[in-house]
Amino acid sequence: MSTDQPSSAPRGPQAFEKVLPENEAPVRFEAERESGIKRFQNLLHSHPTAIPGIVLVASLVFFSVMVGGRFLHPFNFSLIVQQVMIIGIVGIAQTLVVLTAGIDLSVGAIMVLSSMVMGRLAVEMGVPTPLAIAAGIGIAALCGFANGVLVTRFRLPPFIVTLGTWNIFFALNLWYSASETIRAQDIEASAPLLIFFGQAVELFGARLTYGSIAMLAMVAIAWYVLNRTAWGRHVHAVGDDIESARLAGIRTDRVLLMVYVVAGVICGIAAWALIGRIGSASPQAGQTANLDSITAVVIGGTSLFGGRGSIVGTLLGALIVGVFRNGLALSGVNVLWQEFAVGVLIIVAVAIDQWLRRTSR
Amino acid sequence: MTTSTPLQPVVQARGLVKRYGRVTALDHADFDLMPGEILAVIGDNGAGKTTLIKALTGAITPDQGEIRLDGKPVRFTSPMQAREAGIETVYQNLALSPALSIADNMFLGREIEKTGVLGSLFRMLDRAQMRKEARAALTRLGLMTIQNIDQPVETLSGGQRQGVAIARAATFGRHVVIMDEPTAALGVKESRRVLDLILDVKKSGLPVVLISHNMPHVFEIADRIHIHRLGRRHAVVRPSDVTMSDAVAIMTGAMEPPAQAA
């Protein structure tokens, strides 16, 4: 273009732009070329819980055929829900953190530490049980706060921070409990409220524990907070693109700090439920919750890169793992193949996530 | 627009200084934005135009100097404060969250909550209201070719994303909209749409600061051009008074600016 014509600055469309309408064909071509696979991909992308939902239904059908009556009995289903209850609750905390593009390796350690605080205070120190529970949840919140401060103030990667605090919290747990289990009889005698979540209602032959009901209620609350409040939108935005979120006026550090504190509180509630589930308070319980919660989150379709995922997916992810373990156990398959199946599930889930992300940009 | 009437600048800066260690990014820079105009800011890389814009949007706080908004001195220590004062910025990276919907993005950081207990206690978002207002804002700027206000921003084209960011700024900007390289990442056709959008924003009465390297775009829509050089305002020219190559020559120091400032 000529830039040297004096004084008359071009106004309105420039010459080279006038031919544009004729050149629109390639754009339309792109749009029409959308294949069936591509449409399927977009469908999955806009409904992130579709895949774990399909997998759960498929695995239920599969094991119904393989195992038959015993698997289909309502009691067996309620057993699966009981078995995934702890991972389901801790998975909510993990989902929050993963949505911010972080990861929390310390959730299990926070839960065990918190449960030992509850148990010792209520059973051995004679503190009123509600206060002991509050103290346990308070300690869990403090643990989450420590994680959050290290991530936001000291700008350390969440993986490293929580790898460190996992060990620290677990060591504190062994120290505080003197590596001793608080026995079920003692809890039943002096602090029955601690095993509240282990109680159950009978429903059509199923045994639905209060813990299972609490897990479902917490999933519902977390869904509401993440999808229907400004804070929930901010959690997504921070994980999606933290710099954009900051420029859009979100106080990203405050959101992140709160996420870790809330995750701690949820682990504290999980601690209470854990005592109800196993009947005693053991410093060695819940060891696998750190990684199992990440497994549930990943199989549930939440992206480890942050910003996208759902709490319902995590519940489905936890249930899928539960159904696989239960179904394989009932089939009489060696336990090692349960681990094998879970491993395959994780890799398939992440591969699907990557596939979906590639097309979205 | 006539400049014979003495208008008060919407944004005025005098003697801004910002040093980074031994580098002086702003060296007593001045700045004036008049009501209802499109002011382009051009300058070579490293001339300090980014620092100038950051000072105006609160991303940095200048070491010396004064910024006045509608004649009143202001001092921003964060982008939030500038936003609350009515200065909206469309950043080069757009500051959109790809996975969130158009409506969510429009209200990101200033969501509307429901009235009554649902809002005050349960902090429930008024999604219907946010959708309605987002749709209205996009319609005002002729952007309702975007049919679904709930679709994630990542499904939009580059130009459409730019449109959403501009609509957000135009909706919330009470005094000024600042745009950083709005056409840099766009194709020819989409640039055209965005330039029209900028003119629409101007028509709505909001003055616009346009930072751009694209001389044809600058010369097409700017009312005045602020030429930044060596950390200060080197000249202000009108696109009708100089050629593009003159403007580039002034910007690089190859030519003296015309005697009378525009």
Side-chain angles (χ1 to χ4, degrees), chain B residues 205-219:
Chain B
L206 272 176
V208 175
V209 179
L210 170 71
I211 299 113
S212 182
H213 273 105
N214 189 315
M215 288 300 150
H217 291 167
V218 165
F219 271 72

Side-chain angles (χ1 to χ4, degrees), chain A residues 265-287:
Chain A
V265 170
I266 294 171
C267 292
I269 298 171
W272 187 9
L274 178 71
I275 300 175
R277 168 89 184 100
I278 60 178
S280 58
S282 162
Q284 303 293 343
Q287 285 274 23

